[in-house]
Amino acid sequence: MTAEEMKTEQGVQEVSTEGVDISPKGDQGVLKKIKKESTGTEYPMIGDKVNVHYTGWLTDGTKFDSSRDRKDNFTFDLGKGQVIKAWDIAVATMKTGEICEITCKPEYAYGASGSPPKIPPNATLIFEIELFDFQGEDLSPEEDGGIIRRIRVKGEGYSKPNEGAVVEMKLQGIHDGHVFDEREIQFEVGEGESLGIPPGVETAVQQMERGEEAVLYLKPKYGFGSSGYEPLKVPPNTDLSYEVKLKSFEKAKESWEMNSEEKLEQGVLVKERGTQYFKAGKYRQAIIQYKKIMHWLEHESGLAEEEKAKSKSLQLAASLNLAACYLKLVEHRQTLDHCNKALELEPNNEKGLFRRAEAYMGVNEDELARDDLNKVIQLYPNNKAARTLLAQCQQRIRQQHQREKKIYANMFQRLAEKEEKESTKTCTEQPPATGDVEMGDDPSAEQPQQNGDAETAATEA
């Protein structure tokens, strides 16, 4: 007999005191009893997406909910307040494959209000929970699993570092079980790469709270990429993990905290910094700097005429440089976006047109690339690079036309052969000509009728 059947048949007249008290306060608020041990070794952490089955009962044996009955697993983010307190507490103590029963007092469940109509006020509840699996939180911008965070210790408050914030943190970098980096460091978010801190760590730290301790898992794209990092002996294309603790931080001024003069002054500084990163081949770090200019100035209003000109010049330079960075990273859609922004500011900009043509070729829009290159040559006849690229572009267009011509020729040939076969088959299947052949079977008989139905016959023909 299952636990559910026993509860239904016998009822539960009072809360069982069996189980281990796992409530943080030690107040018997959540009691846990393991019904099936797990062979796993890891526990889910705060922020992990967990996948469970559950059944819930009142203390009189009344079942009020079950994911098993619905035949649909239940998932939630652990420690984020998406479920009752007892669940966040209990599931954090489970391993994959474990089944447990928890008894939780009202203050760890639905409290004095209950959850009408099934759960009355001040109800003590009993749950059977089975943990199937769990996985960390994906912080990567493209949600490609490249930056996974698992929180060991939750931080304090709700404030988080922003770009430009000065952070103090403790970190330990690991690959293939080997610690390659261990230090306490203070740096400005956006400057980390120059100190041997990969972009994935900088992305993650902007999602952390003061005092938070987390484990980060980085794919090469968000680590040290195809180049590796020789100073720390990290080989190319290496998956990395970092244990990090954000000790403290001081946020950088937000856009709304700066006046227009400050934004323009800072814009000049970060442009120079971005250019230094670009020349050093640190394109993602350069991108961070150039994006600050767009964030500060793109929607700034109320500028004096002189400020407007300076703002436009900075935005144009930032857009063109962002396009150049994304070209280097072979991210052509992003390149197109920033070229378009530059060309909104200055429609005949030489670099904007040329870089957009490069990006169009990168996404196989060769005819659009040809149009941009022709415009560059028309406006700037001495641009040799545009002439060279146009020749390549036109060659690609010709090759594509030849491929299409061959495809269509083959297609029409197959259709002709098919029609010929069907025609031959029809002829061989026709009955022998006799006096019994109906008029409709003879093409020579398809003449309008010589009576009042002539108009109809002509229409049908």
Side-chain angles (χ1 to χ4, degrees), residues 220-253:
K221 178 179 178 180
Y222 300 97
F224 294 112
S226 59
S227 301
Y229 190 66
E230 179 58 30
L232 293 175
K233 306 300 181 185
V234 178
N237 299 312
T238 302
D239 289 348
L240 306 175
S241 66
Y242 277 85
E243 299 207 10
V244 296
K245 178 179 181 180
L246 179 58
K247 300 178 70 174
S248 65
F249 65 89
E250 182 179 341
K251 294 187 73 168
K253 273 190 175 183

Side-chain angles (χ1 to χ4, degrees), residues 429-448:
E429 289 178 353
Q430 285 183 349
T434 66
D436 295 329
V437 176
E438 297 180 3
M439 182 177 292
D441 293 330
D442 182 359
S444 64
E446 293 179 0
Q447 301 295 331

Side-chain angles (χ1 to χ4, degrees), residues 289-342:
Q289 303 305 319
Y290 296 134
K291 278 188 173 180
K292 289 179 183 178
I293 297 172
M294 303 305 294
H295 177 66
W296 291 336
L297 298 175
E298 194 170 12
H299 303 293
E300 182 71 4
S301 59
L303 298 174
E305 286 304 315
E306 185 178 344
E307 290 178 325
K308 284 182 181 178
K310 192 172 182 180
S311 174
K312 179 180 177 180
S313 176
L314 281 169
Q315 289 183 67
L316 179 61
S319 297
L320 291 170
N321 291 342
L322 282 164
C325 288
Y326 283 116
L327 270 175
K328 292 291 187 180
L329 294 168
V330 199
E331 296 181 16
H332 296 115
R333 292 297 177 189
Q334 294 273 25
T335 305
L336 289 171
D337 288 343
H338 292 289
C339 285
N340 288 334
K341 286 183 179 180

Side-chain angles (χ1 to χ4, degrees), residues 106-122:
E107 55 267 37
Y108 290 91
Y110 293 95
S113 301
S115 183
K118 292 185 177 181
I119 300 174
N122 295 307

